[in-house]
Amino acid sequence: MAYAIRANKVSIRYMTGDFKDIGLKEYFMRRLTNNYQVREFWADRNVSFTLEPGDMLGIIGANGAGKSTLLKAVSGIMVPTEGWVDVRGKIAALLELASGFDGDLTVRENAYLRGALLGYTREFMDRKYDEIIAFAELQDFQERRFKQLSSGMKSRLAFSIACLVEPDILILDEVLSVGDGAFRKKSEAKMKDILKSGVTGILVSHSIGQIRGMSSKVLWLDKGRQICFSSEVKKTCDAYEEFLITKKAPSGQKDIDRMAAEFQERKAREKAEKERSEQEKILEMLRTADRNAAEAAVRDFLGV
C-alpha cells in the first residue's frame, strides 16, 4: 500500500558553542586562546516509521525526548542531519500555539492569513470562513485582536483552521490538550471523522488517554532514541505508563511485553485495594449503626 509519510533513520543534531551561538568576535577570541569548543547534541537518533493514509500516529515520551523536533523534520521546517523523511500530500501543522498568526491582526484577518500560509486561495477561505469560526466558537470575537484572546481561544482557532481546510496530513503538537473539556471532546470527535476520510495524522500529547483513544500506531521516544514503533497501541502505552512509574526504559520488545504485563498487574492490585477499602468503610458504618451512610456507600460501591 502507498505510504503517506516515511521516515528512514532520521537523526537531528544541534551544535552548541559554535560561532553562530557565541558571535564572530567571541569565536576569534576563543580560537586565539585555544578555548574554542563545539558540543554536539542529538535531539533525535535513527528514528524510522511508515504511515499509510488514514493512520493516526501517537508519539509518546517524556520532555526532551525529541518529539517536537521530529515533527519539525516531518513538517519540512528542519532538514535531518542524517536520514530522510518523505511526505506525500499537503500538510497542516500546529506545532506552536501562536505560529502563523499575527498578534495585532483580528481573528478574521488571522484566519485568512493562516489559510494563505497553508496555500489556500481567498475564494476557498471565503467559502470556509464561517464554518471555521463556528467550529472554533468565536462568532463574538471576530474583530478582536489575536493577542487579546485566551490560550484556549487561540488553540480553538488554530485547530479549526487546520481541520477544516482539508489537509492530506494533519500534525498536532499538544494542541488537543488546550481548551475546556467540551471543546477537547469535540476536537477528538472531529479528528476521528477526519481520519476516516483518509487524512493521515500525527499527534504528540502527554495525555496517554488521548493517545490510546485516537491512535492506530504509536512511536515511543526517549532522550532522542527510538524505543519502539508499533501498531500495538494498548500494550505500548501500558509499558510507557509503567516506565513513568519505574523510570526504567525497556531495551527491547521482551521488556515492553513484561512492562505492559506488570502495569496491568499493578492496576489490578490498585483496584482490589480500592474495593477492599470501600468494603471496610461500609462494614465500619454498619458497626456504628450509621445505616443511611452505609446504604449510600453501598449504592456508590455498586454504581447504582
Side-chain angles (χ1 to χ4, degrees), residues 101-107 109-110 144-148:
F101 295 105
D102 187 317
D104 290 322
L105 297 181
T106 65
V107 167
E109 292 166 336
N110 268 296
R144 181 171 294 189
R145 290 185 180 183
F146 185 78
K147 64 184 179 183
Q148 296 174 339

Side-chain angles (χ1 to χ4, degrees), residues 268-297:
R269 288 196 305 271
E270 291 175 352
K271 181 180 179 181
E273 289 173 2
K274 182 179 179 181
E275 290 178 350
R276 186 165 54 250
S277 175
E278 291 294 331
Q279 291 170 356
E280 292 173 353
K281 181 180 177 181
I282 293 170
L283 291 173
E284 179 62 25
M285 289 177 181
L286 291 172
R287 281 195 295 269
T288 58
D290 192 346
R291 186 176 182 82
N292 291 334
E295 289 178 353

Side-chain angles (χ1 to χ4, degrees), residues 10-294:
V10 172
S11 297
I12 299 173
R13 178 185 62 193
Y14 290 109
M15 306 289 288
T16 60
D18 66 355
F19 70 88
K20 288 182 290 185
D21 286 335
I22 63 178
L24 202 55
K25 179 180 178 181
E26 185 66 19
Y27 166 75
F28 282 116
M29 291 297 295
R30 293 188 185 185
R31 293 285 292 189
L32 290 171
T33 57
N34 294 319
N35 191 32
Y36 177 64
Q37 294 180 337
V38 177
R39 294 182 177 85
E40 294 182 345
F41 169 70
W42 291 91
D44 290 297
R45 200 71 166 131
N46 295 323
V47 178
S48 299
F49 62 87
T50 300
L51 300 179
E52 284 79 35
D55 277 345
M56 170 57 110
L57 175 67
I59 304 181
I60 56 177
N63 290 330
K67 305 184 297 296
S68 296
T69 301
L70 180 63
L71 292 189
K72 290 177 182 177
V74 174
S75 302
I77 297 172
M78 297 182 68
V79 177
T81 308
E82 297 175 0
W84 50 267
V85 180
D86 185 22
V87 178
R88 299 178 176 179
K90 185 176 293 185
I91 296 176
L94 299 181
L95 304 184
E96 295 179 9
L97 197 58
S99 63
F101 295 105
D102 187 317
D104 290 322
L105 297 181
T106 65
V107 167
R108 183 188 301 275
E109 292 166 336
N110 268 296
Y112 281 89
L113 172 62
R114 180 69 176 172
L117 291 174
L118 291 171
Y120 294 98
T121 64
R122 183 177 183 85
E123 291 74 20
F124 179 85
M125 293 303 297
D126 284 342
R127 294 197 306 272
K128 287 287 184 178
Y129 176 77
D130 288 341
E131 188 180 355
I132 288 169
I133 294 300
F135 187 87
E137 302 171 6
L138 294 175
Q139 294 94 328
D140 296 332
F141 301 90
Q142 298 179 58
E143 306 309 323
R144 181 171 294 189
R145 290 185 180 183
F146 185 78
K147 64 184 179 183
Q148 296 174 339
L149 300 181
S150 68
S151 60
M153 290 177 176
K154 292 175 182 177
S155 174
R156 295 195 323 245
L157 179 61
F159 180 82
S160 182
I161 294 172
C163 288
L164 298 176
V165 294
E166 302 172 0
D168 299 308
I169 297 165
L170 184 59
I171 299 177
L172 305 173
D173 188 359
E174 293 290 351
V175 174
L176 294 183
S177 300
V178 182
D180 58 44
F183 189 79
R184 283 200 296 271
K185 289 181 180 179
K186 186 166 96 170
S187 300
E188 290 174 8
K190 182 63 177 178
M191 278 297 304
K192 290 176 181 178
D193 288 341
I194 290 172
L195 295 173
K196 289 177 183 177
S197 70
V199 172
T200 304
I202 300 180
L203 171 66
V204 168
S205 177
H206 286 291
S207 170
I208 300 301
Q210 284 184 344
I211 299 294
R212 289 180 184 272
M214 300 184 64
S215 304
S216 58
K217 295 179 179 178
V218 62
L219 175 66
W220 180 355
L221 300 177
D222 182 56
K223 299 177 181 178
R225 180 172 62 95
Q226 180 171 323
I227 300 296
C228 77
F229 169 63
S230 174
S231 59
E232 295 183 292
V233 175
K234 180 182 181 302
K235 178 186 289 186
T236 304
C237 287
D238 284 349
Y240 177 68
E241 292 207 61
E242 183 68 13
F243 160 75
L244 292 177
I245 297 170
T246 64
K247 304 302 181 184
K248 296 179 180 179
S251 58
Q253 188 59 46
K254 287 185 177 179
D255 278 351
I256 291 174
D257 293 343
R258 174 184 55 78
M259 291 171 67
E262 289 175 353
F263 179 72
Q264 287 299 318
E265 291 172 1
R266 186 189 300 275
K267 283 182 63 179
R269 288 196 305 271
E270 291 175 352
K271 181 180 179 181
E273 289 173 2
K274 182 179 179 181
E275 290 178 350
R276 186 165 54 250
S277 175
E278 291 294 331
Q279 291 170 356
E280 292 173 353
K281 181 180 177 181
I282 293 170
L283 291 173
E284 179 62 25
M285 289 177 181
L286 291 172
R287 281 195 295 269
T288 58
D290 192 346
R291 186 176 182 82
N292 291 334

